[in-house]
Each structure stands twice: as C-alpha cells, then as structure tokens.
Amino acid sequence: MSTERPDNDVTGPRRRRPPLAVASVAAAVLLAGGGGAYWASTASGDGGAADSSARDRAPVLALDAAEAAPATPGDPSTPPPGIAPGEPDPNGPPVVYRAAGHLPDGPDEAAVHRATGTVASAEVARLAKALGIPGTPRTVDASWVVGDEDGPGALLKVTKQAPGTWTFARTTPSKPCDPGKMCANQSPPEADGQPVSEKAAKAAAVPVLKAVGQDDAALNAGQLMGDVRVVNADPKVDGLPTYGWSTGVQIGPDGKVAGGSGQLKALEKGATYPVIGADAALKQLNEAGKAKGDGGKDIGGCATPVPLEGEPTPSDPQCVPSNGKRAPVTQTVEEAVFGLALQYVDGRQTLVPSWLFHVRQGTGGPESTVTQIAVAPEFVEKPTAPTPSGDRKATSYAADGRTLEVTFWGGVCSTYTASAEESPGQVRITITEKPQKGGACIMIAKELKRTVTLEKPLGDRTVIDAESGATVPRS
C-alpha cells in the first residue's frame, strides 16, 4: 500500500482550515455548499441545500461483516487476513488515537462508488496486450483467461463479475518452446539479481495501469520482494484519494512485469450522503475501539484467598492470572485526509466516503493508515449478528442460472439442508444441521454439497455465509 501523501487540494473557502491537515476535496463536492451532519442526535450543521438534497435521495448503507482488503503480497501495510481496511488487529491491545492538532471539517457530502455489471472480452484483451500475453480471452468457469500454465509461461485470470478482480503471474512452462514458435512470455532471462530503480519500475508499470484505467494513480515503488520491485497504485476517484482499491504491479530485475493484481471494471458513482468532519469520525473510531477492547483494563493480580473449612491458611498470597487484556496503545494522528475506503455494502465491494487517518505509534514509530466511515451515522446500518445455523459454514459455491450449489463440511450422522435469503446485492446462505437421534456415530467429516433454487439468477450478487457473515468464494 502506498504511503505517499495525496495532494490536499481545496477549491473555494468554506470554513477556516486548521493547520494539522486540509481535507482533499473534489470541487464538485464543494459547489453545493451548506453544512454537514455530524451525529444522529445533533445532525443539522448550518443547514443548506446540499444537506437536505443528499438526505432526500440517499438509501441507508447496509454494512456487511468485516472483510479484508485485497492484499498485496509482501506488503507490510496490508491488514492481516480477515481484518478490514483500517481496522486494528482484534488480537492486539486496544488503540486510542489522539490528534496532534486541529482536524479538518471536510466537505458537506460525498458519493459512494462501486463497480457493476460484467467484464467484457475486449477489456481483458486490452489488459493482456499491456502485459504482453498473446492469445484471445477464453472462458474458464466464471473467469476470463489468457495464456496457458503449460504453454507460453504467463497467465492472466479476470473474474467476469464486477469488480473484475484480476491476477497475473509468469509461470515456468512444463515443456520447452517448439523450434520456431514464438514464446514471448516464457520465463524471462536471468538478470543480475538486483531490483530495478523506483523510476524504472514506475515506467514499466505505466502501460498496465493505463489498461486498467489507473494511469493517474498515486504511485509508490518502495516495496521490495527479493529482487522484485512492487509498484503500488492508489487511484483517485471523483478527485478523492482511495484506500483498499490498489493495483499492484511487480517488476522483475530484468525490467519486465513479473506479476500483478487489481480490479479491472470501472467504478460508477452511486448515491450521495451527508458526511461528518474528521473530529467526529475520530471520536467514532475511538468509541469503536473502546467497545472492542473494554478500555484495556486488567483484572489480574495477587491476593490472599480465604481458606476452605478444615484447610490451613496459606502463608503466601496466590496470584490470579491476567485476563489477557493489555493497556491501550496511543497512536498519534498526524494527518487526516478525506477520501474513499473499501467496505462491503449489501454484499458488494463499495468505496465509501471516509476519513483516512495517517497515524504513528510513539515517537519515530511505524506509520500506517487507519480509516473511518465519514457517512452521517443515521445513514449507516451496522452489521448484524450472524444468523444461527449450527456450526456449518459454506466453503464455496457454483452457480448456473437460478441454481446455486453450495459446498461445506459435515458429519456422516446428520442430515443437512441449505436455504437462501435474497436481496438486490447478495444471497445469504444458511446451512442447517439435524443430527440423527440415538445410536453411536463415528466422528468423520466429509465434504458435502446441497443445491438451492433462487428466485432470480445469481447475476453479480455476492454469496454470503449467514453463520460467519463472510463472502463465500466461487468454486
């Protein structure tokens, strides 16, 4: 993930911008004027047409359970698996964020963005050409594929459904090239083992970034994976910086593209929402951390216990083990920038108006980015508790029209049924277990499949496991 600062450009005055940071705001957002909503109980700001206009047309954002951002392999800024962008590690100590100075107000309103529809063959062909892969895109299951794992030595896969997640890797052919046959993508020649310069890596990544519509993205080429230099590109969308929508392009020591990943489908502008300022967002962030970490209090300690009847009084105090909670860690917010961060909304990957807090732990400690949704709280529906469904979770699915085949692990002495709850953006799968009554049962698990008939074809809707709240991958 790039750690370079986006430009903090502001068009037109609204309120005095404090010295800590200036919100990066698109001019189109500021033209509307008016006040911003801060909290459900005190929403109104100083009024204005922009605020009321957004309220009239904005649906409630239904947030899903935490999902991890697309990871860049080897990127130390990538959240651990299962942790959403900007979320602290739940296994670590609670974190309290403190601003180094005044925080910016930001705009009055901003729009969500998401990719919809399906990826066309021509879009895949354009990316394949930029990567130097010969051949025509072909369909393999639910993806477009260009190249061959056993042939030319390079493989591009693009999921057909939006956002068109793509991965590219050079492969080692299982057989040598036939004499006279062009093998442009066979394993690159040996280089000197030294990574190319940051300037050279960025230049080599430009054709790929242009093919995916991110040629204006902010680039960071500081990451190294051995002798491979990674160019991380964070695009601007509607003039705002983004977090969680990166493209990673790996450049080998020979100066050629060795791998990469990202999203191919272009983002579309959605509903516009009133947004809160950075102060209110930071308060929300700390309140959420306090709820998770319970303030970091530790009930461990030593005391002299009261003896049981007939037992001697112990001469030494006995120690009660710590409950495992640790004191909060304070991190300093050095800069707050208004932008868009990846969230899962009604089963779909969505860039949501957010504050991007650039924080540092201690003096001279590591720097990272923490995000907090900036949409006014009354427009945000928090994730609900998972639907009880025993301990069975869907591991994958296959779809054909209205037929959904769900794969999961189960025991040999129970019967299982699968059901689906449908909404415009997702299909939630519930697997119900009914144990057999009486008799002994061997403890053996096996992979099982159950079929669900949907009311409408799955289309580009996301499949969610109701037990865990996680997205179920397509098999």
Side-chain angles (χ1 to χ4, degrees), residues 235-329:
K236 280 191 174 182
V237 175
D238 203 16
L240 298 175
T242 59
Y243 185 84
W245 204 258
S246 295
T247 293
V249 184
Q250 301 168 14
I251 309 299
D254 61 343
K256 305 293 185 182
V257 178
S261 63
Q263 299 81 32
L264 184 55
K265 196 68 179 174
L267 290 160
E268 298 177 5
K269 190 173 183 177
T272 299
Y273 292 87
V275 296
I276 61 177
D279 275 316
L282 189 63
K283 183 178 179 181
Q284 283 188 343
L285 185 63
N286 282 326
E287 287 294 331
K290 182 179 179 182
K292 289 181 180 179
D294 194 24
K297 296 179 181 179
D298 195 325
I299 63 171
C302 298
T304 300
V306 177
L308 297 176
E309 185 177 355
E311 292 185 353
T313 302
S315 58
D316 297 323
Q318 296 182 0
C319 293
V320 178
S322 166
N323 64 2
K325 294 178 181 177
R326 287 172 278 180
V329 174

Side-chain angles (χ1 to χ4, degrees), residues 389 392-394 427-431 463-472:
S389 60
R392 302 303 166 191
K393 301 176 182 178
V427 174
R428 296 180 68 87
I429 298 296
T430 299
I431 300 170
V463 178
I464 303 293
D465 176 73
E467 171 68 19
S468 63
T471 301
V472 181

Side-chain angles (χ1 to χ4, degrees), residues 206 208-219 235:
V206 166
V208 178
L209 297 175
K210 186 175 182 179
V212 299
Q214 294 189 8
D215 46 322
D216 62 345
L219 305 183

Side-chain angles (χ1 to χ4, degrees), residues 40-439:
S41 59
T42 58
S44 69
D46 37 56
D51 185 47
S52 60
S53 176
R55 292 175 186 277
D56 290 341
R57 64 178 181 270
V60 173
L61 284 176
L63 297 182
D64 296 339
E67 297 281 352
T72 302
D75 185 353
S77 66
T78 299
I83 301 176
E87 284 284 333
D89 185 348
N91 298 318
V95 178
V96 176
Y97 299 97
R98 296 282 183 260
H102 295 292
L103 294 172
D105 296 320
D108 295 311
E109 60 179 39
V112 299
H113 291 74
R114 63 166 59 95
T116 61
T118 57
V119 177
S121 174
E123 295 174 294
V124 180
R126 183 175 65 246
L127 176 56
K129 182 178 179 181
L131 292 167
I133 310 176
T136 302
R138 63 186 186 278
T139 296
V140 176
D141 296 327
S143 300
W144 291 110
V145 174
V146 186
D148 193 338
E149 293 171 314
D150 296 325
L155 185 68
L156 170 66
K157 287 186 177 181
V158 184
T159 57
K160 289 187 175 182
Q161 294 295 335
T165 301
W166 64 271
T167 58
F168 167 71
R170 295 200 178 273
T171 59
T172 301
S174 59
K175 56 184 179 179
C177 258
D178 295 331
K181 181 179 179 181
M182 182 182 70
C183 293
N185 296 289
Q186 199 164 0
S187 297
E190 292 293 331
D192 58 6
Q194 296 296 320
V196 298
S197 67
E198 293 190 20
K199 182 178 180 181
K202 290 179 180 179
V206 166
V208 178
L209 297 175
K210 186 175 182 179
V212 299
Q214 294 189 8
D215 46 322
D216 62 345
L219 305 183
N220 184 298
Q223 181 188 349
L224 289 175
M225 297 169 55
D227 58 3
V228 174
R229 189 174 291 279
V230 182
V231 179
N232 291 307
D234 293 305
K236 280 191 174 182
V237 175
D238 203 16
L240 298 175
T242 59
Y243 185 84
W245 204 258
S246 295
T247 293
V249 184
Q250 301 168 14
I251 309 299
D254 61 343
K256 305 293 185 182
V257 178
S261 63
Q263 299 81 32
L264 184 55
K265 196 68 179 174
L267 290 160
E268 298 177 5
K269 190 173 183 177
T272 299
Y273 292 87
V275 296
I276 61 177
D279 275 316
L282 189 63
K283 183 178 179 181
Q284 283 188 343
L285 185 63
N286 282 326
E287 287 294 331
K290 182 179 179 182
K292 289 181 180 179
D294 194 24
K297 296 179 181 179
D298 195 325
I299 63 171
C302 298
T304 300
V306 177
L308 297 176
E309 185 177 355
E311 292 185 353
T313 302
S315 58
D316 297 323
Q318 296 182 0
C319 293
V320 178
S322 166
N323 64 2
K325 294 178 181 177
R326 287 172 278 180
V329 174
T330 300
Q331 295 192 3
T332 302
V333 176
E334 296 187 336
E335 184 179 22
V337 179
F338 188 82
L340 302 169
L342 177 63
Q343 297 286 338
Y344 280 74
V345 178
D346 200 17
R348 297 177 178 176
Q349 295 184 44
T350 306
L351 287 179
V352 177
S354 303
W355 282 100
L356 315 181
F357 295 111
H358 300 297
V359 303
R360 188 180 300 277
Q361 181 175 341
T363 303
E367 183 180 321
S368 61
T369 299
V370 177
T371 70
Q372 175 63 32
I373 291 178
V375 175
E378 62 266 38
F379 288 90
V380 178
E381 179 181 322
K382 298 294 183 181
T384 56
T387 303
S389 60
D391 59 352
R392 302 303 166 191
K393 301 176 182 178
T395 57
S396 65
Y397 76 91
D400 184 8
R402 294 173 54 212
T403 301
L404 196 68
E405 185 181 64
V406 184
T407 302
F408 60 97
W409 286 91
V412 297
C413 298
S414 298
T415 57
Y416 300 91
T417 56
S419 59
E421 180 184 348
E422 301 182 50
S423 66
Q426 65 179 229
V427 174
R428 296 180 68 87
I429 298 296
T430 299
I431 300 170
T432 304
E433 177 182 6
K434 184 178 180 180
Q436 295 179 7
K437 295 182 179 180

